[in-house]
mmCIF file of all heavy atoms in Angstrom:
data_model
loop_
_atom_site.group_PDB
_atom_site.id
_atom_site.type_symbol
_atom_site.label_atom_id
_atom_site.label_comp_id
_atom_site.label_asym_id
_atom_site.label_seq_id
_atom_site.Cartn_x
_atom_site.Cartn_y
_atom_site.Cartn_z
ATOM 1 N N LEU A 322 0.883 -1.160 0.000
ATOM 2 C CA LEU A 322 -0.002 0.001 -0.002
ATOM 3 C C LEU A 322 0.918 1.214 0.003
ATOM 4 O O LEU A 322 1.836 1.288 0.813
ATOM 5 C CB LEU A 322 -0.903 0.009 1.229
ATOM 6 C CG LEU A 322 -1.913 -1.123 1.318
ATOM 7 C CD1 LEU A 322 -2.445 -1.255 2.748
ATOM 8 C CD2 LEU A 322 -3.052 -0.890 0.346
ATOM 9 N N GLY A 323 0.688 2.140 -0.925
ATOM 10 C CA GLY A 323 1.577 3.295 -1.027
ATOM 11 C C GLY A 323 0.832 4.608 -0.975
ATOM 12 O O GLY A 323 -0.314 4.708 -1.404
ATOM 13 N N CYS A 324 1.497 5.621 -0.432
ATOM 14 C CA CYS A 324 0.942 6.979 -0.374
ATOM 15 C C CYS A 324 1.549 7.810 -1.489
ATOM 16 O O CYS A 324 2.776 7.910 -1.620
ATOM 17 C CB CYS A 324 1.262 7.621 0.985
ATOM 18 S SG CYS A 324 0.690 9.330 1.125
ATOM 19 N N ALA A 325 0.703 8.423 -2.303
ATOM 20 C CA ALA A 325 1.167 9.257 -3.413
ATOM 21 C C ALA A 325 1.765 10.567 -2.915
ATOM 22 O O ALA A 325 2.550 11.196 -3.620
ATOM 23 C CB ALA A 325 0.005 9.547 -4.363
ATOM 24 N N ASN A 326 1.435 10.970 -1.688
ATOM 25 C CA ASN A 326 1.937 12.230 -1.151
ATOM 26 C C ASN A 326 3.339 12.093 -0.569
ATOM 27 O O ASN A 326 4.263 12.768 -0.994
ATOM 28 C CB ASN A 326 0.975 12.765 -0.098
ATOM 29 C CG ASN A 326 1.373 14.121 0.418
ATOM 30 O OD1 ASN A 326 1.585 15.042 -0.347
ATOM 31 N ND2 ASN A 326 1.493 14.231 1.731
ATOM 32 N N CYS A 327 3.528 11.208 0.415
ATOM 33 C CA CYS A 327 4.818 11.084 1.100
ATOM 34 C C CYS A 327 5.687 9.961 0.544
ATOM 35 O O CYS A 327 6.822 9.805 0.944
ATOM 36 C CB CYS A 327 4.616 10.910 2.610
ATOM 37 S SG CYS A 327 3.896 9.314 3.084
ATOM 38 N N ARG A 328 5.122 9.158 -0.350
ATOM 39 C CA ARG A 328 5.810 8.040 -0.994
ATOM 40 C C ARG A 328 6.136 6.879 -0.046
ATOM 41 O O ARG A 328 6.904 5.996 -0.376
ATOM 42 C CB ARG A 328 7.100 8.488 -1.685
ATOM 43 C CG ARG A 328 6.925 9.618 -2.655
ATOM 44 C CD ARG A 328 6.373 9.107 -3.949
ATOM 45 N NE ARG A 328 6.439 10.142 -4.980
ATOM 46 C CZ ARG A 328 5.395 10.569 -5.649
ATOM 47 N NH1 ARG A 328 4.217 10.046 -5.419
ATOM 48 N NH2 ARG A 328 5.508 11.489 -6.555
ATOM 49 N N GLU A 329 5.585 6.895 1.166
ATOM 50 C CA GLU A 329 5.781 5.791 2.108
ATOM 51 C C GLU A 329 5.056 4.564 1.574
ATOM 52 O O GLU A 329 3.995 4.672 0.961
ATOM 53 C CB GLU A 329 5.229 6.162 3.479
ATOM 54 C CG GLU A 329 5.532 5.163 4.557
ATOM 55 C CD GLU A 329 6.991 5.087 4.937
ATOM 56 O OE1 GLU A 329 7.658 6.149 4.973
ATOM 57 O OE2 GLU A 329 7.477 3.965 5.193
ATOM 58 N N GLN A 330 5.629 3.387 1.797
ATOM 59 C CA GLN A 330 5.001 2.138 1.386
ATOM 60 C C GLN A 330 4.831 1.235 2.604
ATOM 61 O O GLN A 330 5.676 1.209 3.500
ATOM 62 C CB GLN A 330 5.845 1.429 0.336
ATOM 63 C CG GLN A 330 5.863 2.171 -0.978
ATOM 64 C CD GLN A 330 6.492 1.343 -2.076
ATOM 65 O OE1 GLN A 330 6.725 0.147 -1.936
ATOM 66 N NE2 GLN A 330 6.773 1.990 -3.197
ATOM 67 N N TYR A 331 3.707 0.502 2.615
ATOM 68 C CA TYR A 331 3.352 -0.383 3.710
ATOM 69 C C TYR A 331 3.114 -1.777 3.139
ATOM 70 O O TYR A 331 2.347 -1.932 2.198
ATOM 71 C CB TYR A 331 2.106 0.131 4.442
ATOM 72 C CG TYR A 331 2.265 1.558 4.911
ATOM 73 C CD1 TYR A 331 1.804 2.626 4.145
ATOM 74 C CD2 TYR A 331 2.913 1.826 6.105
ATOM 75 C CE1 TYR A 331 1.960 3.928 4.576
ATOM 76 C CE2 TYR A 331 3.076 3.132 6.542
ATOM 77 C CZ TYR A 331 2.606 4.178 5.776
ATOM 78 O OH TYR A 331 2.777 5.469 6.212
ATOM 79 N N ALA A 332 3.740 -2.755 3.711
ATOM 80 C CA ALA A 332 3.687 -4.123 3.195
ATOM 81 C C ALA A 332 2.359 -4.802 3.515
ATOM 82 O O ALA A 332 1.749 -4.549 4.549
ATOM 83 C CB ALA A 332 4.823 -4.946 3.786
ATOM 84 N N VAL A 333 1.934 -5.673 2.610
ATOM 85 C CA VAL A 333 0.858 -6.613 2.859
ATOM 86 C C VAL A 333 1.471 -7.995 2.653
ATOM 87 O O VAL A 333 1.902 -8.334 1.549
ATOM 88 C CB VAL A 333 -0.347 -6.416 1.905
ATOM 89 C CG1 VAL A 333 -1.408 -7.470 2.160
ATOM 90 C CG2 VAL A 333 -0.905 -5.021 2.021
ATOM 91 N N GLU A 334 1.556 -8.757 3.744
ATOM 92 C CA GLU A 334 2.170 -10.079 3.700
ATOM 93 C C GLU A 334 1.228 -11.091 4.328
ATOM 94 O O GLU A 334 0.767 -10.876 5.443
ATOM 95 C CB GLU A 334 3.499 -10.077 4.461
ATOM 96 C CG GLU A 334 4.513 -9.111 3.872
ATOM 97 C CD GLU A 334 5.741 -8.958 4.749
ATOM 98 O OE1 GLU A 334 5.815 -9.622 5.810
ATOM 99 O OE2 GLU A 334 6.609 -8.170 4.373
ATOM 100 N N ASP A 335 0.928 -12.153 3.612
ATOM 101 C CA ASP A 335 0.004 -13.187 4.084
ATOM 102 C C ASP A 335 -1.338 -12.591 4.483
ATOM 103 O O ASP A 335 -1.954 -13.009 5.461
ATOM 104 C CB ASP A 335 0.602 -13.980 5.250
ATOM 105 C CG ASP A 335 1.832 -14.758 4.837
ATOM 106 O OD1 ASP A 335 1.836 -15.287 3.704
ATOM 107 O OD2 ASP A 335 2.787 -14.835 5.633
ATOM 108 N N GLY A 336 -1.787 -11.555 3.758
ATOM 109 C CA GLY A 336 -3.076 -10.925 4.029
ATOM 110 C C GLY A 336 -3.059 -9.923 5.169
ATOM 111 O O GLY A 336 -4.092 -9.344 5.503
ATOM 112 N N PHE A 337 -1.895 -9.659 5.771
ATOM 113 C CA PHE A 337 -1.777 -8.745 6.909
ATOM 114 C C PHE A 337 -1.103 -7.458 6.448
ATOM 115 O O PHE A 337 0.015 -7.473 5.942
ATOM 116 C CB PHE A 337 -0.935 -9.413 8.009
ATOM 117 C CG PHE A 337 -0.773 -8.582 9.246
ATOM 118 C CD1 PHE A 337 -1.828 -8.433 10.136
ATOM 119 C CD2 PHE A 337 0.425 -7.955 9.539
ATOM 120 C CE1 PHE A 337 -1.673 -7.689 11.288
ATOM 121 C CE2 PHE A 337 0.584 -7.213 10.685
ATOM 122 C CZ PHE A 337 -0.472 -7.069 11.563
ATOM 123 N N GLY A 338 -1.816 -6.333 6.584
ATOM 124 C CA GLY A 338 -1.279 -5.030 6.211
ATOM 125 C C GLY A 338 -0.586 -4.376 7.385
ATOM 126 O O GLY A 338 -1.179 -4.175 8.433
ATOM 127 N N VAL A 339 0.688 -4.064 7.216
ATOM 128 C CA VAL A 339 1.488 -3.468 8.294
ATOM 129 C C VAL A 339 1.534 -1.954 8.076
ATOM 130 O O VAL A 339 2.282 -1.462 7.246
ATOM 131 C CB VAL A 339 2.911 -4.056 8.326
ATOM 132 C CG1 VAL A 339 3.719 -3.437 9.466
ATOM 133 C CG2 VAL A 339 2.860 -5.557 8.471
ATOM 134 N N LEU A 340 0.713 -1.211 8.840
ATOM 135 C CA LEU A 340 0.661 0.249 8.710
ATOM 136 C C LEU A 340 1.386 0.953 9.841
ATOM 137 O O LEU A 340 1.183 2.121 10.097
ATOM 138 C CB LEU A 340 -0.791 0.731 8.661
ATOM 139 C CG LEU A 340 -1.639 0.152 7.526
ATOM 140 C CD1 LEU A 340 -3.044 0.720 7.582
ATOM 141 C CD2 LEU A 340 -1.012 0.432 6.182
ATOM 142 N N GLY A 341 2.240 0.254 10.541
ATOM 143 C CA GLY A 341 2.991 0.848 11.647
ATOM 144 C C GLY A 341 4.016 -0.141 12.138
ATOM 145 O O GLY A 341 4.324 -1.123 11.486
ATOM 146 N N SER A 342 4.561 0.102 13.324
ATOM 147 C CA SER A 342 5.559 -0.793 13.899
ATOM 148 C C SER A 342 5.398 -0.852 15.404
ATOM 149 O O SER A 342 4.592 -0.138 15.976
ATOM 150 C CB SER A 342 6.961 -0.313 13.542
ATOM 151 O OG SER A 342 7.160 0.985 14.080
ATOM 152 N N GLY A 343 6.167 -1.671 16.050
ATOM 153 C CA GLY A 343 6.154 -1.769 17.497
ATOM 154 C C GLY A 343 5.337 -2.929 17.998
ATOM 155 O O GLY A 343 4.505 -2.766 18.866
ATOM 156 N N TRP A 344 5.540 -4.123 17.429
ATOM 157 C CA TRP A 344 4.706 -5.270 17.757
ATOM 158 C C TRP A 344 5.267 -6.049 18.930
ATOM 159 O O TRP A 344 6.311 -6.635 18.836
ATOM 160 C CB TRP A 344 4.616 -6.194 16.547
ATOM 161 C CG TRP A 344 4.117 -5.472 15.371
ATOM 162 C CD1 TRP A 344 4.812 -5.163 14.240
ATOM 163 C CD2 TRP A 344 2.835 -4.923 15.194
ATOM 164 N NE1 TRP A 344 4.021 -4.462 13.393
ATOM 165 C CE2 TRP A 344 2.813 -4.300 13.942
ATOM 166 C CE3 TRP A 344 1.692 -4.889 15.968
ATOM 167 C CZ2 TRP A 344 1.692 -3.663 13.449
ATOM 168 C CZ3 TRP A 344 0.583 -4.249 15.487
ATOM 169 C CH2 TRP A 344 0.589 -3.660 14.234
ATOM 170 N N SER A 345 4.520 -6.070 20.054
ATOM 171 C CA SER A 345 4.818 -6.962 21.161
ATOM 172 C C SER A 345 3.690 -6.883 22.170
ATOM 173 O O SER A 345 3.421 -5.835 22.724
ATOM 174 C CB SER A 345 6.131 -6.603 21.840
ATOM 175 O OG SER A 345 6.049 -5.336 22.441
ATOM 176 N N SER A 346 3.027 -8.010 22.346
ATOM 177 C CA SER A 346 1.920 -8.069 23.282
ATOM 178 C C SER A 346 1.563 -9.525 23.546
ATOM 179 O O SER A 346 1.800 -10.381 22.710
ATOM 180 C CB SER A 346 0.697 -7.337 22.724
ATOM 181 O OG SER A 346 -0.380 -7.410 23.613
ATOM 182 N N GLU A 347 0.982 -9.790 24.694
ATOM 183 C CA GLU A 347 0.508 -11.124 25.005
ATOM 184 C C GLU A 347 -0.832 -11.350 24.319
ATOM 185 O O GLU A 347 -1.728 -10.518 24.428
ATOM 186 C CB GLU A 347 0.323 -11.280 26.512
ATOM 187 C CG GLU A 347 1.627 -11.328 27.261
ATOM 188 C CD GLU A 347 2.453 -12.548 26.909
ATOM 189 O OE1 GLU A 347 1.881 -13.640 26.787
ATOM 190 O OE2 GLU A 347 3.670 -12.385 26.728
ATOM 191 N N PRO A 348 -0.995 -12.463 23.582
ATOM 192 C CA PRO A 348 -2.278 -12.712 22.928
ATOM 193 C C PRO A 348 -3.389 -12.973 23.944
ATOM 194 O O PRO A 348 -3.173 -13.607 24.962
ATOM 195 C CB PRO A 348 -2.014 -13.952 22.062
ATOM 196 C CG PRO A 348 -0.781 -14.555 22.600
ATOM 197 C CD PRO A 348 -0.020 -13.484 23.313
ATOM 198 N N ARG A 349 -4.562 -12.475 23.662
ATOM 199 C CA ARG A 349 -5.722 -12.695 24.509
ATOM 200 C C ARG A 349 -6.571 -13.793 23.857
ATOM 201 O O ARG A 349 -6.435 -14.109 22.693
ATOM 202 C CB ARG A 349 -6.537 -11.417 24.616
ATOM 203 C CG ARG A 349 -5.725 -10.239 25.086
ATOM 204 C CD ARG A 349 -6.340 -9.608 26.297
ATOM 205 N NE ARG A 349 -5.670 -8.376 26.655
ATOM 206 C CZ ARG A 349 -4.761 -8.301 27.606
ATOM 207 N NH1 ARG A 349 -4.405 -9.350 28.263
ATOM 208 N NH2 ARG A 349 -4.191 -7.154 27.887
ATOM 209 N N GLN A 350 -7.511 -14.348 24.621
ATOM 210 C CA GLN A 350 -8.384 -15.405 24.129
ATOM 211 C C GLN A 350 -9.773 -14.851 23.822
ATOM 212 O O GLN A 350 -10.293 -14.040 24.577
ATOM 213 C CB GLN A 350 -8.489 -16.518 25.173
ATOM 214 C CG GLN A 350 -7.176 -17.212 25.464
ATOM 215 C CD GLN A 350 -6.587 -17.846 24.227
ATOM 216 O OE1 GLN A 350 -7.272 -18.517 23.477
ATOM 217 N NE2 GLN A 350 -5.298 -17.627 24.015
ATOM 218 N N PRO A 351 -10.382 -15.290 22.702
ATOM 219 C CA PRO A 351 -11.734 -14.838 22.383
ATOM 220 C C PRO A 351 -12.747 -15.372 23.397
ATOM 221 O O PRO A 351 -12.542 -16.420 23.992
ATOM 222 C CB PRO A 351 -12.000 -15.390 20.982
ATOM 223 C CG PRO A 351 -10.953 -16.386 20.730
ATOM 224 C CD PRO A 351 -9.838 -16.160 21.684
#
């Protein structure tokens, strides 16, 4: 996914779009 204004690009991998960073958390249960 890309922005025409700032030219930043965000990956889509295995159907997951990464629009930021800083991943770390304990998973919760539904």
